[in-house]
Amino acid sequence: MPSPDQLLNQLKIDRRAGAPKKKRRWPWIVGALAAVLIAFFVFRGGKPVQVETVNPRSAAESGPASVLDASGYVTARRIATVSSKITGKVKEVYIEEGQRVKEGEILARLDVQDAQAQYQLSQSQVASSESQLAEARAQLSLAESTYRRNKQLAGSQFVSRSALDAAKADRDARAARLVSLQQSVKVSKDQLGVSALNIDNTVIRAPFDGVIVAKAAQPGEMISPISGGGGSIRTGIGTLVDMDSLEVQVDVNEAYIGRVTPKMPIEAVLNAYPEWKIPGEVIAIVPTADRSKATVKVRVALNSKDTRIVPDMGVRVSFLEAKDASKPLSGFWIPNGAIIKDGEQQFVFTVVDGKAKRTAITAADSNDSETRVDKGLGKGDSVIASPGKDLKDGAKVANKADAAK
């Protein structure tokens, strides 16, 4: 059995120069990772940058330039919530959303029982008044005969003066009652006319030509021209819009309202149809400002009556300057976002042989969306619409539209 000294000697570490050393592997691992990262960045640097390009528009060939762009909504000048003149229960509804109706067309009917009962009562009152009038005429005729006979007898002293006066008073009273009953008959007939009108008011008709955009009531519901406090009574059968009265209302920043004038030509683009450009003109500038938004409302007429234009659609309006044919514009129009400023110098990136080329330009004028460039660009150039801050001169680029294909 080894002694304790021998066991301790076995645990000692030999630190002599010739002793074997354990190999270290971490430097190799670090080197491999560095090589992978270098290869990654080299590969990434060779990948082209995805960009969007536009072709400059010739200022001489394009239409009038936009002096101001603003957003607004399509609105209708003639829009009505069609209701009845009286309170009643809806019996029938003949409309649906999207339905076109003509002026005077029946949209709905109310329960006519109450109005019919009132009409019959008025007829009875007219008949009663006329019968009383006929009785009064007969009594007046008798009173006049009695008065004439007494007047003759009084001349021969066969009738006293008091009897003659009584006959005259009776005749005058019956004549007055006849006039009163004649007025009562007239009132009864007028009441009959009102009752007939109430029957007609149970029929709800379209006030003008248009399209139903909302159906608000169903058979069995109560409807009234006056809103009920509890909200259980409907105030209309539906909403009718005159599509020929559509226009655009635009909120223009008050700092630029001086650029807008009545009858000024415009070009409108609906958000739903961005490729469709609709011509029009300014109707009027509403002479009041919204202090909360610092804007002035402008009414714009569209020269199209297309069915695709509907109320409350979003629209972008470009206010155009009048084009002078004797002074054609030079240069090209490009988006404002394509221009990069470096101090007082302006430049854009064009695409040449798949690489971005920094090109100095000279801008003549601009509006809210575009700038007219006098120098630096030519026909057929491909301009990067929105160059990023990291884009460098000579960097490889690729069009996003081509990559999507």
Side-chain angles (χ1 to χ4, degrees):
M1 182 176 179
S3 63
D5 293 336
Q6 291 176 343
L7 293 175
L8 290 175
N9 289 332
Q10 292 178 1
L11 296 175
K12 290 182 179 180
I13 299 174
D14 190 356
R15 300 184 182 276
R16 293 175 297 177
K21 295 182 180 179
K22 189 177 181 181
K23 295 182 178 180
R24 297 179 179 178
R25 296 182 179 179
W26 63 268
W28 295 96
I29 298 175
V30 173
L33 290 175
V36 171
L37 290 174
I38 292 172
F40 173 76
F41 285 109
V42 169
F43 174 76
R44 187 179 181 183
K47 186 178 180 180
V49 180
Q50 299 293 321
V51 296
E52 293 182 1
T53 61
V54 295
N55 297 116
R57 294 189 301 111
S58 173
E61 298 176 359
S62 61
S66 171
V67 299
L68 179 67
D69 291 340
S71 298
Y73 294 92
V74 178
T75 60
R77 298 298 295 175
R78 295 184 71 189
I79 181 170
T81 299
V82 184
S83 182
S84 62
K85 294 182 180 180
I86 61 174
T87 301
K89 180 185 293 185
V90 180
K91 184 178 181 181
E92 295 175 299
V93 179
Y94 306 113
I95 60 172
E96 295 293 341
E97 289 87 347
Q99 178 180 341
R100 289 188 171 272
V101 297
K102 296 291 185 179
E103 181 179 355
E105 184 176 341
I106 297 176
L107 307 183
R109 293 180 186 272
L110 303 183
D111 190 347
V112 76
Q113 289 185 357
D114 293 344
Q116 188 69 44
Q118 183 63 44
Y119 180 78
Q120 293 175 354
L121 176 61
S122 298
Q123 284 182 319
S124 300
Q125 290 175 341
V126 169
S128 176
S129 299
E130 288 179 342
S131 64
Q132 292 178 7
L133 180 62
E135 179 184 359
R137 285 198 179 102
Q139 292 177 348
L140 177 60
S141 177
L142 176 61
E144 286 179 344
S145 299
T146 302
Y147 173 69
R148 287 195 301 269
R149 184 170 57 253
N150 287 343
K151 187 176 182 181
Q152 293 175 357
L153 293 175
S156 302
Q157 299 296 322
F158 291 112
V159 175
S160 64
R161 185 69 181 177
S162 61
L164 179 62
D165 292 341
K168 181 181 178 183
D170 182 61
R171 185 205 62 177
D172 294 342
R174 296 195 180 277
R177 185 170 184 274
L178 179 65
V179 173
S180 177
L181 289 175
Q182 287 175 338
Q183 293 297 323
S184 296
V185 171
K186 183 178 181 303
V187 171
S188 298
K189 290 183 177 180
D190 292 342
Q191 185 63 43
L192 181 63
V194 172
S195 299
L197 183 61
N198 285 336
I199 292 178
D200 185 67
N201 287 338
T202 61
V203 180
I204 303 174
R205 295 179 172 86
F208 50 81
D209 295 352
V211 176
I212 301 296
V213 298
K215 180 180 178 181
Q218 298 290 343
E221 292 184 312
M222 292 296 294
I223 188 173
S224 173
I226 302 175
S227 177
S232 60
I233 299 179
R234 301 285 185 178
T235 57
I237 289 293
T239 302
L240 180 64
V241 175
D242 181 4
M243 291 301 179
D244 291 335
S245 70
L246 295 182
E247 64 180 40
V248 175
Q249 290 189 358
V250 183
D251 289 330
V252 177
N253 191 303
E254 61 185 13
Y256 305 112
I257 193 62
R259 303 182 186 180
V260 182
T261 58
K263 302 298 181 181
M264 185 178 190
I266 65 95
E267 190 174 71
V269 177
L270 298 173
N271 295 345
Y273 306 98
E275 302 300 326
W276 182 25
K277 296 181 179 180
I278 309 171
E281 67 176 13
V282 175
I283 299 175
I285 302 171
V286 181
T288 184
D290 187 335
R291 66 171 69 181
S292 62
K293 297 188 293 184
T295 58
V296 177
K297 185 175 294 184
V298 178
R299 294 176 53 203
V300 174
L302 300 177
N303 294 342
S304 176
K305 301 299 182 182
D306 199 284
T307 55
R308 290 174 291 178
I309 306 174
V310 298
D312 297 329
M313 266 190 170
V315 60
R316 183 77 176 174
V317 176
S318 297
F319 296 89
L320 308 178
E321 64 181 3
K323 185 175 181 180
D324 189 353
S326 63
K327 298 179 180 179
L329 297 176
S330 61
F332 299 89
W333 290 100
I334 61 173
N336 290 337
I339 300 175
I340 298 177
K341 295 183 179 180
D342 186 2
E344 296 183 356
Q345 186 181 9
Q346 294 179 325
F347 64 92
V348 298
F349 280 106
T350 58
V351 179
V352 180
D353 296 332
K355 295 182 179 181
K357 180 182 178 181
R358 177 170 169 155
T359 304
I361 61 169
T362 301
D365 51 45
S366 63
N367 53 49
D368 289 352
S369 60
E370 292 184 311
T371 297
R372 183 168 62 89
V373 177
D374 262 348
K375 298 180 181 179
L377 294 178
K379 189 174 182 180
D381 285 346
S382 182
V383 178
I384 297 177
S386 300
K389 296 181 179 179
D390 298 332
L391 187 62
K392 303 298 182 183
D393 189 16
K396 293 182 180 180
V397 295
N399 196 339
K400 290 182 178 180
D402 296 338
K405 295 179 182 178

